[in-house]
Amino acid sequence: MDKGFETLAIHAGQEADRETGAVVPPIYATSTYKQDGVGGLRSGYEYSRSANPTRTALEECLAALEGGVRGLAFASGLAAEDTLLRTVCRPGDHVLIPADAYGGTYRLFAKVLANWGVAYDPVPLGDAAAVRAAVRPETKVIWVETPTNPLLGIADITALAEVARDAGALLVVDNTFASPYLQQPLALGADVVVHSTTKYIGGHSDVVGGALIVSDPELGERLAYHQNAMGAVAGPFDAWLTLRGAKTLAVRMERHCDNAERVVELLSAHPRVTRVLYPGLPDHPGHETAAKQMRRFGGMVAFQVAGGEEEAVAVCGRTEIFTLAESLGGVESLIEHPGRMTHASAAGSPLEVPSDLVRLSVGIESIDDLLADLSRALG
Ligand SMILES: *Cc1c(COP(=O)(O)O)cnc(C)c1O
């Protein structure tokens, strides 16, 4: 479907129901499907681990939004990552991961896949030459996050795609922070896009889910085989909620970006803030790359405060509209202390985050209320 992003979000994979005309794809709460004689499947549906029409609608929509040929929806972002990695890696293989990867992704590599013989090295992804130098003959995957969680580091997807191509490795981009509205890695040369749809795509903090999107149909087939063989699929209720969220992704992202820019302005001028991390700032080391590959700079902001860890924790406890909670990407603003919360699993590792860091997921509430809340909390 050769249509604009907003149109695809609302229509891709979502034609009106042939039987009833229902405009919204129904929640197919069924595990199995009646066969018209043995093997006589209707539209290919046999058993809901293999395929379910509500999930198919979501998968087709996500593939369209990322400009891929195949989308696959999973029970969580980490379930998507696990399925991908156990499809493409074997014992003895090696992967390169971001030096500031999402804590859960790091844990999957360090505590789970390492036990199965897949080695990993953290590398600073902002430095394509360092990534090239870290490639080994066994390197099968270069894992990219941009912007990174929580430090908002930026990697040049086009440059890393070239490194991956030369290495014969797959370039995987976790596009959770940007969302497909702000950044489309497949068009920049990535092989696989990963999402925690829990975040911006779902967008309302009411469902956990994950997705993989690819542009190579053969890889799509292998992943679909493993999705069924391993079984960590998105259920129909979750798929329906995620699809409902995706329809408004574009308008939500615009407001997330508007509000984040105003929050960054306030923080940058605040005497108790020592550093603001946001790729939209001209002095951010990845600013130019971000401007080249992103439509806007997103709704995630991190900052460091004077007074160290105790003060960072205290600020998180003083906001009222910014809710103290993990996760991100929903309509409501959230605040958290990565060192003790989302990234606690990286403590003592090379991926440990600064202890005076606060992370904001800037929501789409009235901006004046958000600014007043932060000013009060910072004192
Ligand atoms: C949350 C998150 C994940 C993991 O997704 P879940 O849905 O929580 O399993 C992966 N990558 C990033 C960048 C995330 O923020």
Side-chain angles (χ1 to χ4, degrees), residues 99-223:
D100 56 345
Y102 166 66
T105 298
Y106 174 70
R107 185 175 54 201
L108 178 63
F109 282 109
K111 304 294 182 194
V112 181
L113 287 159
N115 292 337
W116 295 92
V118 176
Y120 67 93
D121 277 314
V123 283
L125 290 180
D127 182 351
V131 177
R132 189 179 288 278
V135 167
R136 300 194 211 154
E138 314 81 58
T139 306
K140 283 285 153 49
V141 168
I142 300 178
W143 191 277
V144 174
E145 280 182 38
T146 182
T148 57
N149 179 2
L151 295 175
L152 285 311
I154 297 292
D156 185 331
I157 297 172
T158 310
L160 294 178
E162 201 183 306
V163 175
R165 205 168 36 243
D166 293 347
L170 288 176
L171 190 76
V172 176
V173 177
D174 180 338
N175 204 26
T176 298
F177 264 40
S179 90
Y181 179 69
L182 296 180
Q183 174 175 280
Q184 305 202 313
L186 297 177
L188 299 170
D191 298 293
V192 184
V193 168
V194 175
H195 277 287
S196 169
T197 56
T198 313
K199 317 292 169 54
Y200 285 107
I201 291 177
H204 296 75
S205 305
D206 51 11
V207 59
V208 170
L212 301 173
I213 302 103
V214 295
S215 48
D216 170 15
E218 194 269 329
L219 178 57
E221 268 312 305
R222 282 171 64 206
L223 290 170

Side-chain angles (χ1 to χ4, degrees), residues 57-379:
L58 172 62
E59 291 177 334
E60 289 182 1
C61 183
L62 293 175
L65 293 184
E66 285 288 359
V69 300
R70 185 93 187 235
L72 299 160
F74 294 86
S76 70
L78 282 172
E81 295 184 15
D82 179 38
T83 304
L84 167 64
L85 289 162
R86 287 198 281 155
T87 301
V88 301
C89 292
R90 298 283 173 278
D93 287 347
H94 171 250
V95 296
L96 293 173
I97 66 168
D100 56 345
Y102 166 66
T105 298
Y106 174 70
R107 185 175 54 201
L108 178 63
F109 282 109
K111 304 294 182 194
V112 181
L113 287 159
N115 292 337
W116 295 92
V118 176
Y120 67 93
D121 277 314
V123 283
L125 290 180
D127 182 351
V131 177
R132 189 179 288 278
V135 167
R136 300 194 211 154
E138 314 81 58
T139 306
K140 283 285 153 49
V141 168
I142 300 178
W143 191 277
V144 174
E145 280 182 38
T146 182
T148 57
N149 179 2
L151 295 175
L152 285 311
I154 297 292
D156 185 331
I157 297 172
T158 310
L160 294 178
E162 201 183 306
V163 175
R165 205 168 36 243
D166 293 347
L170 288 176
L171 190 76
V172 176
V173 177
D174 180 338
N175 204 26
T176 298
F177 264 40
S179 90
Y181 179 69
L182 296 180
Q183 174 175 280
Q184 305 202 313
L186 297 177
L188 299 170
D191 298 293
V192 184
V193 168
V194 175
H195 277 287
S196 169
T197 56
T198 313
K199 317 292 169 54
Y200 285 107
I201 291 177
H204 296 75
S205 305
D206 51 11
V207 59
V208 170
L212 301 173
I213 302 103
V214 295
S215 48
D216 170 15
E218 194 269 329
L219 178 57
E221 268 312 305
R222 282 171 64 206
L223 290 170
Y225 180 88
H226 283 79
Q227 180 193 38
N228 180 51
M230 295 164 68
V233 295
F237 289 83
D238 289 356
W240 189 88
L241 266 179
T242 306
L243 190 58
R244 182 191 219 265
K247 289 174 202 279
T248 55
L249 180 62
V251 289
R252 283 187 285 108
M253 289 316 294
E254 288 290 347
R255 181 61 69 88
H256 282 296
C257 293
D258 290 344
N259 283 357
E261 286 170 11
R262 295 285 304 280
V263 162
V264 165
E265 239 173 71
L266 176 135
L267 294 173
S268 299
H270 201 284
R272 300 199 48 77
V273 172
T274 54
R275 182 162 167 236
V276 181
L277 297 94
Y278 187 65
L281 287 169
D283 66 354
H284 184 289
H287 176 68
E288 256 175 56
T289 303
K292 190 181 67 174
Q293 68 192 15
M294 298 177 76
R295 191 195 294 254
R296 294 183 71 182
F297 302 102
M300 297 302 295
V301 178
F303 62 97
Q304 289 168 277
V305 293
E309 178 164 4
E310 290 314 313
E311 181 57 16
V313 168
V315 168
C316 293
R318 283 198 293 260
T319 54
E320 283 168 13
I321 298 173
F322 278 86
T323 302
L324 177 58
E326 299 195 356
S327 198
L328 61 111
V331 291
E332 62 290 293
S333 293
L334 302 178
I335 189 167
E336 68 121 358
H337 183 265
R340 290 196 192 172
M341 296 170 63
T342 48
H343 292 66
S345 59
S349 82
L351 281 78
E352 187 169 308
V353 297
S355 62
D356 59 355
L357 189 77
V358 175
R359 190 189 78 178
L360 303 177
S361 173
V362 181
I364 64 172
E365 300 97 331
S366 309
I367 185 61
D368 290 342
D369 295 332
L370 296 183
L371 296 178
D373 193 35
L374 279 178
S375 296
R376 201 169 41 236
L378 284 164

